Amino acid sequence: MNSEFSKLGQINREYILSTVQPVLLNTSHLDAFNRNGYVLKVLRNFIVIFYIPVNNNDGSMASIKINNILLHFFDISLEELYSHAIRNIGTYAVLYPLDDAIAHILNYCKAAENNTESDVDTLSKVYVLSNTDNTDGAAVILNRDVLSRVHEIFNGHPYYLLPSSIHEMLAVDSYKASAKELQDIVISVNHDVVQPDEYLSDLILYCDSCQLYELDCRHTLDSQKINAVQLPV
């Protein structure tokens, strides 16, 4: 904490608002961040925390998590901080196709589990959403301009967002796959591949007209009865 406050001479209110970035995390971190006094915003099963970049004495870059003391000192509200962070992350958002070979492997594994070849093209068009550093980039989905760019790629179709990790989201055209199949893949990857500190969620998101809905398909086989709750973003 002392080392963080030693860097405060570099910053002011305008610097915080112009550089603050959001990080999207699972709510399992909620108690720890509350205990440490960090500023956060709860979005159902997600939380958003905030950081700013700073320069170290040796010229390297570091970051400071925004805490309540810092927010109060510079007279910044949570709403103001959140709106600037979401706008800022749009500047660093990147969107690119998932490598065809990786998509094919994912589809092959899924088809093999079901002993069928009908799912081989399920993830044939998958796009990665992240930031330029590919670090803590899943939060780019909170920016409406980013969501609009994905809609354009999918010709205006609604689409699913798969929480690959805290670093990225995967976008899949809703016309190309079912929510249940995709959530099964997410759960499997989270269990077998994702590191615990990079885990984001087992629930997938559905985006329609830049509105985000959290889906839970684990307890139903009926696609018409999937639990869908809109995220307040």
Side-chain angles (χ1 to χ4, degrees):
M1 184 64 69
N2 290 336
S3 62
E4 290 189 349
F5 276 95
S6 69
K7 302 183 179 72
L8 291 182
Q10 305 176 26
I11 64 176
N12 53 36
R13 190 179 193 278
E14 290 70 27
Y15 180 81
I16 291 175
L17 294 178
S18 64
T19 63
V20 63
Q21 295 287 318
V23 179
L24 193 64
L25 300 170
N26 185 269
T27 50
S28 60
H29 300 276
L30 182 60
D31 289 343
F33 283 116
N34 273 329
R35 284 196 304 271
N36 287 284
Y38 290 119
V39 176
L40 57 87
K41 183 178 179 67
V42 179
L43 302 174
R44 289 192 55 78
N45 291 298
F46 302 100
I47 61 172
V48 182
I49 64 168
F50 308 90
Y51 73 91
I52 55 173
V54 292
N55 290 310
N56 283 321
N57 293 331
D58 62 2
S60 62
M61 293 300 296
S63 64
I64 294 178
K65 295 185 184 72
I66 302 294
N67 60 31
N68 291 302
I69 296 174
L70 196 61
L71 211 63
H72 178 73
F73 183 83
F74 288 105
D75 191 25
I76 301 172
S77 69
L78 174 58
E79 292 74 19
E80 187 177 18
L81 186 74
Y82 179 77
S83 64
H84 278 79
I86 300 310
R87 183 177 64 189
N88 293 342
I89 201 172
T91 305
Y92 300 98
V94 294
L95 174 61
Y96 54 90
L98 185 68
D99 184 86
D100 289 343
I102 297 176
H104 180 74
I105 290 172
L106 291 174
N107 284 297
Y108 178 82
C109 293
K110 183 62 182 174
E113 288 178 7
N114 295 334
N115 295 316
T116 177
E117 296 181 359
S118 61
D119 293 329
V120 172
D121 292 326
T122 297
L123 297 180
S124 59
K125 294 296 181 183
V126 180
Y127 286 82
V128 179
L129 285 74
S130 188
N131 55 18
T132 51
D133 294 331
N134 287 310
T135 301
D136 298 329
V140 299
I141 66 161
L142 302 177
N143 182 287
R144 286 182 176 271
D145 290 338
V146 173
L147 299 180
S148 295
R149 287 167 56 190
V150 183
H151 268 296
E152 292 176 2
I153 287 176
F154 292 140
N155 298 314
H157 297 168
Y159 56 90
Y160 297 113
L161 289 168
L162 283 58
S164 174
S165 72
I166 63 173
H167 303 304
E168 63 187 23
M169 286 273 185
L170 302 180
V172 183
D173 191 331
S174 66
Y175 286 24
K176 301 292 185 181
S178 77
K180 183 67 169 67
E181 291 171 338
L182 294 177
Q183 186 168 17
D184 287 345
I185 293 174
V186 168
I187 292 172
S188 177
V189 171
N190 280 338
H191 182 270
D192 297 333
V193 179
V194 178
Q195 297 298 314
D197 60 339
E198 298 182 346
Y199 166 77
L200 186 54
S201 178
D202 283 343
L203 307 183
I204 65 174
L205 301 176
Y206 178 78
C207 186
D208 187 11
S209 300
C210 293
Q211 299 295 320
L212 286 176
Y213 299 86
E214 194 175 51
L215 305 185
D216 189 353
C217 317
R218 291 173 294 186
H219 307 299
T220 180
L221 297 177
D222 187 345
S223 61
Q224 301 302 314
K225 296 181 179 179
I226 292 173
N227 182 34
V229 180
Q230 187 171 356
L231 285 182
V233 298

